[in-house]
Amino acid sequence: EKGGHDYFMLKEIEEQPGALENTLRGHFHDGGIILDEQRLTEQDLRDIDKVFVVACGTAYHSGLLAKYAIEHWCRIPVEVELASEFRYRDPVLGRDTLVVAISQSGETADTLEAVRHARTQRARVLAICNTNGAQIPRESDAVLYTHAGPEIGVAATKTFVSQIAANYLVGLALAQARGTKYADEVAREFSALAAMPEAVRQTLGTVDQMRALGQKLADSKAVLFLGRHVGYPIALEGALKLKELAYMHAEGFAAGELKHGPIALIEDGLPVVVVMPSAKGRALLHSKMLSNIREIQARGARTIVIAEEGDETVRPFADELVEIPAVPTLLQPLVSTVPLQVLAAEIARARGYDVDKPRNLAKSVTVE
Ligand code: F6R
């Protein structure tokens, strides 16, 4: 049933290209993005002047990425908030606010309560969900189902990449409704997305390397993760996976924050995973990140660098270089997250833990 894999999570990691295909399939027709359930008018969508994204855990990390895409494509301000914090601070909501609720299960209590709060304030609610007919989509004005298939491993993997793709589809749908992108531009962005299942498939070529690395890092005290721009949420996600599966202290940072505190943590042999920005797409950030790696390496860190194939500039600073395909900047998280998932799972396995059923965690968190 695990398809010859040692644990479900590995099977689900390998299912990610197919999950992405399923998320994209059916959401682009006649040159435009379509949602699964749509109880909002075109005018409602045009009137949106503020977006809140609410979610928990891994879904929240996908939400952080929604901000980059929606602000870039739609020029509407986007705030991303943990669902468990959202309603307690009385956020400013109204008829022209869109609340995007992201939940794989569609039953997460905090996210559901955030949706209910948004509705009492007359905000519009759009749900991104992997479970047909779950409570969150039932209480929303519009729904985009991710269709990633059921996920057995408690740690979210394929539903995470599907959520990222779904967020981008929502961004394109909004851009289309508001006219901030022409139909041909929407079609171009969609075809870039449609090329991602193949890129993720190529990234699975890092699985053996990451499994071997996981075995080597199993005795580490802690692991740090650094990212910039869209690599930052992926650093957070890499750290969350390691905490929940390997019960190891792990933290993700925006690399620019290093000198404001976290660099004090660097000591001899500490593994630091760095998600390199695209060399061409984000040259300035790329060179800043190179200096960050130099700084931590000089202080003894063991650097594990996730970088685009052919990015030779990082080689001298990488104790372990993990090559991922070069893809457009906004889409890089879909490939850079894969090796980090495998790393966390394999460290957990090497430490003797049940990768599919980490302690103290439930697949669906229905209490606040
Ligand atoms: C981590 C993980 C959790 C969930 C979170 C939200 O691997 O799976 O952090 O992402 O509990 O769950 P959903 O998406 O069902 O609302």
Side-chain angles (χ1 to χ4, degrees):
E1 42 169 12
K2 295 174 192 164
H5 296 88
D6 295 328
Y7 40 90
F8 273 111
M9 184 176 160
L10 191 56
K11 175 170 177 275
E12 289 167 349
I13 288 170
E14 294 187 355
E15 282 170 359
Q16 291 182 117
L20 268 179
E21 264 157 23
N22 290 341
T23 302
L24 298 175
R25 181 178 304 124
H27 288 128
F28 187 73
H29 269 307
D30 294 334
I33 306 293
I34 51 156
L35 305 177
D36 295 289
E37 287 170 32
Q38 169 61 293
R39 296 175 281 267
L40 295 174
T41 64
E42 283 289 305
Q43 189 60 47
D44 291 337
L45 289 180
R46 266 197 294 279
D47 289 343
I48 299 298
D49 59 11
K50 175 82 201 244
V51 176
F52 280 97
V53 180
V54 294
C56 303
T58 291
Y60 169 75
H61 295 151
S62 88
L64 292 173
L65 294 167
K67 178 179 170 84
Y68 293 89
I70 299 176
E71 289 192 344
H72 180 60
W73 289 331
C74 311
R75 313 309 302 159
I76 317 175
V78 179
E79 277 187 54
V80 191
E81 191 147 351
L82 293 167
S84 54
E85 292 290 321
F86 183 68
R87 72 192 168 113
Y88 299 106
R89 64 169 189 85
D90 195 11
V92 183
L93 302 165
R95 294 187 67 81
D96 297 337
T97 313
L98 180 70
V99 173
V100 179
I102 310 171
S103 173
Q104 175 280 127
S105 62
E107 305 289 350
T108 300
D110 283 310
T111 313
L112 178 59
E113 291 304 329
V115 163
R116 289 181 173 156
H117 178 76
R119 292 190 58 120
T120 64
Q121 307 295 302
R122 316 189 64 174
R124 320 290 182 165
V125 177
L126 187 153
I128 292 176
C129 183
N130 196 48
T131 314
N132 271 48
Q135 198 59 29
I136 291 169
R138 281 214 297 271
E139 297 193 23
S140 300
D141 301 300
V143 186
L144 195 151
Y145 283 110
T146 42
H147 303 298
E151 195 169 58
I152 308 292
V154 163
T157 51
K158 61 178 179 173
T159 57
F160 175 59
V161 293
S162 285
Q163 283 165 347
I164 299 172
N167 290 333
Y168 290 179
L169 291 175
V170 166
L172 290 176
L174 271 179
Q176 173 179 292
R178 298 168 51 78
T180 50
K181 283 229 170 284
Y182 292 115
D184 60 326
E185 295 170 299
V186 171
R188 211 166 329 121
E189 299 293 356
F190 184 83
S191 19
L193 267 173
M196 292 311 291
E198 187 45 42
V200 173
R201 206 165 277 126
Q202 282 174 38
T203 312
L204 294 175
T206 64
V207 167
D208 289 345
Q209 181 188 6
M210 298 317 288
R211 292 189 78 171
L213 181 65
Q215 299 287 331
K216 284 191 251 169
L217 297 185
D219 294 328
S220 309
K221 264 199 321 210
V223 179
L224 303 185
F225 293 77
L226 302 180
R228 281 177 180 265
H229 191 254
V230 293
Y232 171 45
I234 294 306
L236 297 178
E237 173 61 8
L240 177 61
K241 283 283 164 289
L242 195 55
K243 285 179 229 187
E244 69 178 322
L245 297 172
Y247 321 147
M248 192 185 273
H249 182 72
E251 255 191 285
F253 298 107
E257 280 294 292
L258 266 179
K259 56 184 156 309
H260 302 289
I263 198 160
L265 290 169
I266 307 289
E267 57 185 24
D268 220 29
L270 178 77
V272 182
V273 179
V274 180
V275 184
M276 252 347 252
S278 152
K280 261 200 255 138
R282 281 288 183 280
L284 187 60
L285 288 184
H286 183 274
S287 70
K288 293 224 159 102
M289 195 62 126
L290 271 185
S291 338
N292 292 138
I293 306 184
R294 267 195 217 109
E295 282 158 13
I296 59 171
Q297 215 188 25
R299 288 165 178 77
R302 173 172 185 179
T303 57
I304 298 145
V305 183
I306 318 288
E308 284 178 348
E309 267 157 12
D311 181 353
E312 292 304 321
T313 54
V314 292
R315 205 172 280 279
F317 309 106
D319 295 316
E320 179 96 17
L321 181 61
V322 183
E323 293 185 286
I324 53 172
V327 299
T329 290
L330 278 178
L331 304 180
Q332 197 205 46
L334 293 167
V335 288
S336 57
T337 198
V338 176
L340 304 192
Q341 296 167 337
V342 182
L343 181 67
E346 206 53 36
I347 293 180
R349 199 172 79 111
R351 286 159 78 93
Y353 303 135
D354 183 343
V355 175
D356 294 323
K357 287 196 200 63
R359 69 186 181 201
N360 308 339
L361 292 172
K363 185 67 185 163
S364 177
V365 185
T366 52
V367 287
E368 277 183 78

